[in-house]
Amino acid sequence: MGLKIETKNLTPALAAEIAAICPFGAIEADGAKLSINAACKNCKLCVKKSNGVITWEDEEKPAVDKSKFVGVAVFGEVRYGKLLPVTLELLGKARELADQIAHPVYAVLIGENLKGAAEDALRHGADKAYCYDHEQLKYRTVVPFTACIKDFIDTVKPSSVLFGATNFGRSLAPRVAARCGAGLTADCTMLEMKENTDLVQIRPAFGGNIMARIVSPQARPQFCTVRYKTFDALPRSEELTGEVVNVTVTDAMLQSGTEVLSVAEKPKEVDISDADVIVACGRGFQKKEDLALAQELADLIGAQVACSRPLAESGWMDAKHQIGLSGRTVKPKLIITLGISGTVQFTAGMKASDFIVAINADPDASIFEVAHVGVVGDLYEVVPKLIEKIKEGRENV
Ligand SMILES: Cc1cc2nc3c(=O)[nH]c(=O)nc-3n(C[C@H](O)[C@H](O)[C@H](O)COP(=O)(O)OP(=O)(O)OC[C@H]3O[C@@H](n4cnc5c(N)ncnc54)[C@H](O)[C@@H]3O)c2cc1C
């Protein structure tokens, strides 16, 4: 696939004329010769304007036999012997997608002493849990993990593979996809399954202004990452059905240029993604000190305080507290937004919350389109009254 130059009728004058077509300076003329340099953006303007001197040739790709790829697989990320919650959520989604095309659901687990985690995967929607269980896989090192998943893909040939968009998942998924010569869609917010087993990977694009529907009709497996709290896990089944497949881990799979010398645990921080109740602050706050008002409300109702991006950017709150497209996805039972306008980039990270209360001075603010209860008013007046009412209510109980 690429640009092809027809040299037959080229003259120095014509070559110079064609070189001038490219706005990026990617066509170089040397006498009656033309060449394309690395500045080429494949915009194909030269193909349109060079009267057949430069043409575009598509490489014929052999059609993939989709019937040979069966199953929706989930990379089961294990920490301290337990599956991460995002894996359980992905298994729930995988079950729904797989049922539409009568495919099985697989979990791929890599680590040490995986029996308990493998059974948990079966109780949360997997038909089979493939375990690469080895003491040298105790720590998450990306090269051996890539080799294990590649082995799973070569053996089982799943149609789709889903990864949690954790720090490790974001490092692992593209490596696996590259080894398979396939694409990867990061941070999907929705997934749909077509009858022909094409996975429709939906995610915000162009700064969140459109929802892109991405399919890979020519490639198998189809790879994507999904953030924590995007989908719901299935309830844990009391009945243990399905099969645990213990795969032999070979020396080749364990090859790694990385040696883990020691592991230092980071102090556990409260993650707003796990919060049941959130008070989220936006640019309606006039100064950092005023956030004490939000903190008072949050303390009263047992909430975590979070923010929109401008507050994180101005250093008023840590970036870990930012909700949205470039921040965290949250799904609390209750979220109260204070002085947040409700741009798509913000709501992308919170609109699945169970109950949304919005306080905003502007009756036309878009946050009211996703809110279950909207209060039009000045947060500096409404929040103190709300605090007062909650305190009063408690005293009267
Ligand atoms: C690629 C990209 C990614 C982005 N990712 C994120 C993201 O992850 N998270 C995010 O939040 N943003 C993100 N943004 C930025 C986003 O577009 C908005 O700029 C941002 O969400 C606006 O934050 P805000 O609602 O706090 O501020 P504003 O849009 O300025 O809204 C402030 C609101 O406060 C109200 N208000 C003012 N005074 C008061 C008052 N006294 N009482 C009550 N209400 C009052 C106003 O009516 C207004 O609606 C992203 C943008 C891009 C391009």
Side-chain angles (χ1 to χ4, degrees), residues 111-112 134-139 141 144-145 251 254-255:
E112 189 188 22
H134 195 283
E135 57 182 2
Q136 283 184 46
L137 295 170
K138 180 175 175 188
Y139 299 116
T141 41
F145 274 54
D251 287 345
L254 295 171
Q255 294 285 318

Side-chain angles (χ1 to χ4, degrees), residues 187-190 202-212 226-231 273 307-309 322-332 335 337 340-353 356 366-367 369-370:
D187 286 349
C188 294
T189 52
M190 284 184 270
I202 304 164
R203 56 150 299 149
F206 294 108
N209 291 311
I210 62 156
M211 292 302 280
V226 177
R227 288 197 212 176
Y228 177 36
K229 294 276 177 180
T230 302
F231 300 127
S273 299
C307 64
S308 63
R309 181 154 123 173
Q322 180 192 318
I323 294 173
L325 196 59
S326 51
R328 297 277 203 273
T329 303
V330 298
K331 211 174 177 188
I335 181 166
T337 69
I340 290 180
S341 58
T343 57
V344 279
Q345 294 89 0
F346 174 79
T347 56
M350 52 68 79
K351 62 176 182 236
S353 304
I356 302 169
S366 10
I367 193 70
E369 286 164 26
V370 295

Side-chain angles (χ1 to χ4, degrees), residues 150-282:
K150 180 69 171 52
D151 175 78
F152 163 77
I153 289 168
D154 291 344
T155 317
V156 179
K157 295 195 169 46
S159 176
S160 302
V161 188
L162 321 182
F163 293 79
T166 58
N167 287 344
F168 186 66
R170 283 178 181 181
S171 168
L172 181 64
R175 285 167 190 265
V176 178
R179 288 239 185 136
C180 297
L184 164 79
T185 307
D187 286 349
C188 294
T189 52
M190 284 184 270
L191 293 172
E192 292 172 7
M193 187 61 81
K194 287 191 181 183
E195 266 177 39
N196 68 358
T197 74
D198 282 354
L199 182 68
V200 185
Q201 300 149 77
I202 304 164
R203 56 150 299 149
F206 294 108
N209 291 311
I210 62 156
M211 292 302 280
R213 297 172 65 85
I214 300 161
V215 281
S216 317
Q218 301 292 345
R220 288 295 184 271
Q222 307 160 92
F223 293 98
C224 68
T225 64
V226 177
R227 288 197 212 176
Y228 177 36
K229 294 276 177 180
T230 302
F231 300 127
D232 290 320
L234 291 170
R236 187 173 193 273
S237 158
E238 288 309 316
E239 198 188 340
L240 182 61
T241 54
E243 189 188 342
V244 176
V245 182
N246 287 306
V247 185
T248 306
V249 178
T250 63
D251 287 345
M253 291 180 207
L254 295 171
Q255 294 285 318
S256 171
T258 311
E259 188 188 348
V260 180
L261 300 177
S262 66
V263 176
E265 281 299 322
K266 276 208 298 189
K268 186 134 178 64
E269 288 173 5
V270 184
D271 190 330
I272 56 162
S273 299
D274 289 323
D276 277 343
V277 187
I278 291 177
V279 172
C281 310

